[in-house]
């Protein structure tokens, strides 16, 4: 395994072990499959202490066997979502902790 993949996996594991995240409600703005990469692009907005943020991170690591289409179908445009964010850096958010 190349060193950059090892570092990436180590970083992902560290992100999962972070301090507990706070959560707030958000709304999916758009949800598409990026072509030709076949990656999900889910853009959502949420607010923390009156400040509005946008993010596109769904989870801290890819799920084996999950397709981009499956992720996009789970988060259709206009859907209400729970957004988990770092209270020390509210712009650091994701939908699936």
């Amino acid at each position: 395994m190349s060193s950059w993949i090892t570092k990436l996996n180590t970083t992902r594991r560290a992100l999962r072990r972070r301090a507990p995240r706070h959560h707030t409600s958000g709304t999916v703005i758009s949800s598409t499959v990026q072509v030709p990469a076949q990656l999900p692009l889910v853009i959502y907005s949420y607010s923390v202490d009156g400040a509005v943020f946008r993010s596109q991170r769904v989870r801290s690591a890819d799920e084996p066997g999950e397709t981009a289409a499956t992720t996009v179908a789970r988060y259709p445009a206009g859907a209400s979502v729970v957004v988990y964010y770092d209270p020390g850096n509210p712009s650091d958010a994701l939908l699936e902790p």
Side-chain angles (χ1 to χ4, degrees), residues 5-21:
I5 292 175
T6 301
K7 286 181 182 180
L8 178 63
N9 288 334
T10 301
T11 301
R12 286 178 174 167
R13 283 191 296 274
L15 286 171
R16 284 190 214 123
R17 289 191 302 264
R18 277 184 161 173
R21 291 182 172 266

Side-chain angles (χ1 to χ4, degrees), residues 20-87:
R21 291 182 172 266
H22 291 176
H23 65 277
T24 188
S25 60
T27 303
V28 176
I29 298 168
S30 68
S31 185
T32 59
V33 176
Q34 294 177 329
V35 178
Q38 292 300 305
L39 296 173
L41 178 60
V42 179
I43 300 172
Y44 52 93
S45 66
Y46 60 100
S47 62
V48 176
D49 295 329
V52 177
F53 298 90
R54 283 188 179 196
S55 185
Q56 61 187 38
R57 202 165 97 195
V58 174
R59 63 184 73 82
S60 58
D62 291 332
E63 294 293 322
E66 173 120 350
T67 67
T70 301
T71 301
V72 166
R74 195 166 50 250
Y75 298 107
S80 294
V81 291
V82 175
V83 178
Y84 298 88
Y85 66 92
D86 178 345

